[in-house]
Amino acid sequence: MWKCRQVRALLAAAIYEPLGEGDRHLLDTHIEGCARCRALLASMRETVDAIPREDVRYEGDLAPALRARIDTLPTRSLAWRILPYPIAVAALAAALLLVVGVPLQIPKHPEIQQTHPVAGVSAARETARVENGEMIAALALDSPVAQAVCEADALIEKRAYAEAMRVLQEATTAHPDDPAAGTAQERLADIEFSHLRRYARAFDAYVKLRNQFPHTFRTSPESIDRFDLLVEGWPDSFNPLYTLDVARADGAEGFRALETLVAHHPGKLVASLALDEMQRVVDDPAAEGDLPHFAELEAVLARCNNPVAIAQVNLRLGDTYSRELRDPLRARGAYLEVAQSDHPVLAPLAQEALARLGQP
Amino acid sequence: MPSQGDANAAMIAPMATDAAVRAREIDERVRKALVRLSPSQSTVFILRHYEGLALAEIADELGCTVGSVKVHLFRAIKKLRDELEDLRGP
């Protein structure tokens, strides 16, 4: 039988649309035997029914509210960093809708523009689009390299990575001073890091991003994190990162490999990522929702054998007790376990954490 | 002298106002809750719920798979459900 997590996407779809025969059968079979998913479907349906379908039209001047909202969007928001162009633009339109109540017409990606017009574009929406043309222009969506980034995003979506890289490289070579050149370099680095997982090349790409496009680099926390991780992995020829990839791909079977990675790289970023993965592995996929962090960590602790790995789980457990549960007593217990060890890296970290907690 | 129609209108008017206030209150709460969704979750929810696009159309529009649209929609509704818990009936 399918697990809860596997049928959940069908729950949302079933609320709005009739499912295909196969999906319908899967969902029906599952919820017949699963009271939790049955209740979840009912409560989700009830929520959706309670949300009105009509949006309220805003009669005033849109410009100030739009500008304010644009100002509050992070310069390199998540949408711009990790989502393909059409999603990022749609997210922007969604943000505007939330502020002013008048949906902005979503500018289409060139490739999909011809295939499907957004249903029911009203006169009000058209007005909003024209009034906000200035704002769209300000985002430099029309520059040659920005267009290349859009094209590359569509190619990345189709997993045509080599072609995406060619498009980006050609555009930046032809227009090195384009305002979107930094974004193009960031995409190149992202392809190497997260899609091709060629860490040596990703390292070079992030070094170039950092040196030649410092503004793009500084305003992209994800790039900074990856750069730090690559700097850390460089002396070992990035082997810890490859080990992490293999362990991740092994799912639950990879737990021991992750534990070894944590044990061999105490206090390092790669150990922290491996610990994240261990938490994900122990989270029961059949459970309703995700386990709270402390419960995941306690489950990880119960399965660990290596003392250095155990110490790092305890450090994170201490942080979780302290910050999320506001339970200094349990936090102290977890930190003390580590502080009393003689580990040269981890014991001082635990002592610092104990000092931050203050006196009992 | 007021007619029977006027009397009915007088009775109906306060009820209509209450409903309007309630609808506005829900609308306000929904907007606030939507802001707290991730960009992809709110985009998918808005396109499906308010724009009425089919899931396949949203996937086409956003250049992603129908599967990922479903997942974003599931997470969006689940978060909205939690945020709007107190609006649900007993």
Side-chain angles (χ1 to χ4, degrees):
Chain A
M1 191 169 124
W2 276 37
K3 289 182 173 172
C4 300
R5 205 166 263 191
Q6 292 170 299
V7 299
R8 293 217 167 145
L10 295 180
L11 296 179
I15 290 173
Y16 281 107
E17 293 176 11
L19 294 178
E21 202 177 317
D23 283 348
R24 178 83 256 163
H25 177 71
L26 278 173
L27 182 61
D28 286 348
T29 314
H30 179 83
I31 62 175
E32 200 179 299
C34 178
R36 222 160 27 193
C37 283
R38 212 162 43 235
L40 184 60
L41 176 61
S43 73
M44 286 173 74
R45 184 168 277 145
E46 199 181 325
T47 301
V48 167
D49 287 345
I51 299 175
R53 308 267 163 148
E54 303 81 14
D55 50 77
V56 178
R57 296 284 167 199
Y58 182 82
E59 304 293 340
D61 178 12
L62 298 175
L66 287 171
R67 288 205 189 95
R69 179 64 191 171
I70 293 303
D71 286 345
T72 63
L73 289 173
T75 322
R76 306 282 303 150
S77 73
L78 258 184
W80 295 107
R81 269 193 292 132
I82 61 170
L83 297 177
Y85 160 81
I87 299 186
V89 174
L92 175 63
L96 299 178
L97 170 65
L98 297 176
V99 170
V100 300
V102 177
L104 183 75
Q105 185 185 11
I106 298 166
K108 311 292 195 316
H109 185 281
E111 282 208 352
I112 58 176
Q113 193 155 16
Q114 305 306 320
T115 60
H116 168 74
V118 169
V121 176
S122 66
R125 217 169 299 176
E126 185 60 22
T127 309
R129 190 184 66 78
V130 173
E131 283 177 3
N132 297 297
E134 181 190 338
M135 183 202 68
I136 296 294
L139 293 169
L141 296 178
D142 293 331
S143 81
V145 177
Q147 293 294 327
V149 171
C150 297
E151 198 183 327
D153 284 339
L155 290 164
I156 292 168
E157 186 72 22
K158 293 178 195 158
R159 302 185 179 197
Y161 303 120
E163 184 68 3
M165 292 178 83
R166 187 189 60 75
V167 166
L168 292 165
Q169 279 156 348
E170 280 179 8
T172 46
T173 306
H175 308 277
D177 299 324
D178 188 288
T183 306
Q185 181 59 32
E186 191 188 9
R187 286 291 196 287
L188 284 166
D190 176 64
I191 292 172
E192 292 288 10
F193 185 93
S194 62
H195 298 291
L196 301 179
R197 300 191 181 279
R198 299 190 296 203
Y199 294 121
R201 293 187 187 203
F203 182 55
D204 293 342
Y206 279 113
V207 168
K208 185 174 175 186
L209 178 68
R210 181 171 171 268
N211 293 344
Q212 295 185 12
F213 305 99
H215 178 73
T216 308
F217 180 76
R218 278 200 309 270
T219 51
S220 166
E222 187 176 60
S223 295
I224 296 170
D225 288 348
R226 288 175 177 181
F227 177 76
D228 290 345
L229 189 63
L230 290 163
V231 167
E232 186 188 277
W234 181 77
D236 295 323
S237 307
F238 310 104
N239 280 328
L241 295 177
Y242 292 115
T243 308
L244 180 61
D245 283 343
V246 172
R248 272 182 176 150
D250 287 347
E253 307 301 316
F255 189 90
R256 285 289 160 240
L258 292 166
E259 184 183 355
T260 307
L261 201 53
V262 172
H264 286 179
H265 301 277
K268 296 285 180 69
L269 292 170
V270 72
S272 175
L273 292 178
L275 196 43
D276 290 345
E277 192 60 23
M278 289 162 87
Q279 284 182 240
R280 203 187 60 76
V281 167
V282 296
D283 206 350
D284 179 6
E288 157 72 12
D290 294 329
L291 281 177
H293 291 150
F294 80 92
E296 285 174 0
L297 286 163
E298 285 171 352
V300 169
L301 196 59
R303 286 179 60 179
C304 277
N305 299 323
N306 184 294
V308 181
I310 288 172
Q312 285 171 91
V313 180
N314 267 321
L315 271 180
R316 188 175 280 193
L317 201 46
D319 292 346
T320 307
Y321 287 146
S322 163
R323 291 173 195 161
E324 293 181 20
L325 300 188
R326 308 264 172 223
D327 186 344
L329 203 65
R330 286 162 86 185
R332 183 173 300 281
Y335 289 139
L336 270 176
E337 292 268 334
V338 190
Q340 287 163 357
S341 74
D342 56 357
H343 195 281
V345 175
L346 302 176
L349 289 176
Q351 280 149 8
E352 281 171 30
L354 281 167
R356 278 198 305 274
L357 273 184
Q359 293 304 310
Chain B
M1 186 176 171
S3 67
Q4 186 60 41
D6 289 341
N8 285 343
M11 281 172 65
I12 291 165
M15 288 169 65
T17 309
D18 284 350
V21 168
R22 173 81 176 147
R24 203 173 306 145
E25 185 193 334
I26 292 175
D27 187 66
E28 185 63 30
R29 286 284 310 279
V30 170
R31 276 164 200 274
K32 283 182 180 165
L34 281 170
V35 171
R36 284 194 274 272
L37 300 181
S38 75
S40 38
Q41 288 164 3
S42 59
T43 302
V44 166
F45 183 81
I46 287 167
L47 289 178
R48 182 65 196 91
H49 191 84
Y50 292 101
E51 299 280 342
L53 296 197
L55 297 178
E57 290 174 327
I58 297 171
D60 197 17
E61 199 68 46
L62 303 186
C64 60
T65 64
V66 175
S68 78
V69 170
K70 286 178 183 174
V71 169
H72 285 312
L73 188 63
F74 171 77
R75 290 181 182 153
I77 299 174
K78 194 154 174 281
K79 273 197 205 170
L80 288 172
R81 181 198 65 162
D82 296 343
E83 289 275 343
L84 305 173
E85 182 68 33
D86 59 306
L87 293 180
R88 292 168 60 201

